[in-house]
Amino acid sequence: MDNGLTHGASFFINFRRYLPDPKEHGFRWVDIKQLHFSNEYLDDRALLAALIAHEQFRDDYAGGGVLPDGSRHGPYWLRLITPELYEPISQEKAVQILREWIDPLWDVPTEMEENLQREVFARLAAANGIYYLGELSDEAIHDWGRVHDYFHEFVLIDRSTSQINLIVAADD
C-alpha cells in the first residue's frame, strides 16, 4: 500500500567505504529513502502518517531491508510510532545533531564529505519542514532493537518538489 506516496530512490552512505582503517567508524552509515507525494497532502502530520504506513518505512536497518509485512522500524515496534512523536526542528538543529554524530574530532575524507553534502545536507537545506524522531521509551524498543548504538531519524518535507526524504543515520 502506497498511501499516496511513491518510492522514488534510495541512497546509502557507508562510512567504512571512505576509511583507511575500517575498524574506525566502520559501522556508521546514512540511509536515505526518497518518496514523492501528491498535492492532496496539505498538512505535514498527514504526510508523516502516510510515511509511517508506507512499506518503505518497514525497515529494521539491521540488514533485513524493507519487509512489506514487517513489524519493526529501526529499533522500534512499528505499531508504537505515530506522527505526534516527530518533533519539528530547525535546519541548524538537524545539522548540529548530524555533525555531532559524525564526530567533530574526525577529519572526514573529502569524497565522503561531498557525498554527505549532496545527499544529506543539501536535502536539509531544501526542506520546508524537518521532523526528528527523538529517542522513544524502553517499551517501544523491539526484542532485539538495541543493536544500534545511535539511531537518528529525520523526515524532510520538500513541497517544491513534492518529496519526502526519510534520513536515518545510525551506528550498529
Side-chain angles (χ1 to χ4, degrees), residues 44-137:
D44 287 359
R45 294 290 168 189
L47 277 169
L48 288 167
L51 175 65
I52 292 166
H54 197 279
E55 76 173 23
Q56 287 294 314
F57 198 77
R58 295 165 177 3
D59 192 332
D60 58 29
Y61 297 100
V66 172
L67 300 172
D69 296 323
S71 60
R72 294 173 180 89
H73 173 74
Y76 305 117
W77 290 113
L78 179 65
R79 71 180 185 277
L80 298 177
I81 299 176
T82 65
E84 294 74 32
L85 295 174
Y86 287 86
E87 166 190 354
I89 63 171
S90 68
Q91 177 189 355
E92 294 78 15
K93 180 66 176 172
V95 168
Q96 176 188 354
I97 291 168
L98 286 166
R99 288 290 178 196
E100 287 175 1
W101 171 76
I102 290 168
D103 189 350
L105 302 176
W106 180 49
D107 290 328
V108 178
T110 303
E111 183 184 0
M112 183 177 157
E113 181 63 34
E114 289 170 355
N115 283 337
L116 287 168
Q117 284 297 329
R118 181 180 58 255
E119 301 299 346
V120 178
F121 296 110
R123 293 173 197 274
L124 280 168
N128 304 102
I130 301 172
Y131 293 87
Y132 182 66
L133 180 64
E135 191 172 325
L136 303 185
S137 70

